[in-house]
């Protein structure tokens, strides 16, 4: 049996975190909106606690999106691409969420591309 959070739960948590950041909400504000503590929001975002359907509906209401939007983002993140989870492995790295959040906050498309090229260049160096 696998140790740690399920990759799909992690991908859902990442999708929630990215949406929350895009809306400018803190974990405390989201927690208050859905009736849980900020610590519980942290657990949802890490994938260490699973999000029930009723909670997912409340999260989507607070984030101004549909459940189908969140599920679509999980698929876009590639979490369901393979049965063994290998396609989502990069997204489970601790730095993945903060990196995507930081990249999404860069306003200039040219600067975003430059950051992406820098990351790719660094990845080629071993």
């Amino acid at each position: 049996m696998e140790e740690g959070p399920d990759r799909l739960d992690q991908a859902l948590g990442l999708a929630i975190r990215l949406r929350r950041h895009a809306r400018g909400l803190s974990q405390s504000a989201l927690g208050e909106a859905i009736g849980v503590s900020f610590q519980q929001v942290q657990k949802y975002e890490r994938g260490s606690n699973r999000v029930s359907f009723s909670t997912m509906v409340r999260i989507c209401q607070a984030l101004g999106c549909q459940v189908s939007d969140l599920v679509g983002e999980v698929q876009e993140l590639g979490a369901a691409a393979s049965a063994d989870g290998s396609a989502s492995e990069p997204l489970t790295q601790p730095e993945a969420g903060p990196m995507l959040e930081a990249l999404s906050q860069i306003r200039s498309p040219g600067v975003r591309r430059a950051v992406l090229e820098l990351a790719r260049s660094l990845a080629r160096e071993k």
Side-chain angles (χ1 to χ4, degrees):
M1 181 148 194
E2 275 186 41
E3 298 269 334
D6 184 271
R7 292 183 190 281
L8 289 173
D9 294 330
Q10 288 177 321
L12 177 60
L14 178 58
I16 291 169
R17 180 190 304 170
L18 293 173
R19 282 250 175 196
R20 179 177 59 76
H21 275 272
R23 298 278 302 203
L25 290 176
S26 66
Q27 289 177 331
S28 295
L30 179 57
E32 188 175 314
I34 65 171
V36 301
S37 67
F38 80 90
Q39 293 96 334
Q40 184 62 47
V41 172
Q42 286 177 331
K43 291 176 183 180
Y44 290 150
E45 290 184 356
R46 281 195 313 263
S48 56
N49 279 15
R50 289 190 168 165
V51 178
S52 70
F53 185 74
S54 59
T55 299
M56 188 182 314
V57 170
R58 286 194 297 276
I59 288 171
C60 289
Q61 289 170 339
L63 297 177
C65 67
Q66 301 293 317
V67 171
S68 58
D69 297 331
L70 221 47
V71 171
E73 288 172 17
V74 169
Q75 290 175 329
E76 284 177 24
L77 290 170
S82 69
D84 66 3
S86 61
S88 65
E89 191 169 331
L91 295 174
T92 64
Q93 300 298 316
E95 298 85 3
M99 180 68 145
L100 287 172
E101 290 167 16
L103 191 63
S104 72
Q105 293 174 5
I106 298 172
R107 300 265 185 247
S108 168
V111 173
R112 279 195 308 272
R113 281 191 298 276
V115 170
L116 177 59
E117 286 308 313
L118 173 63
R120 286 179 173 157
S121 174
L122 292 171
R124 287 189 291 269
E125 289 185 17
K126 292 188 181 188

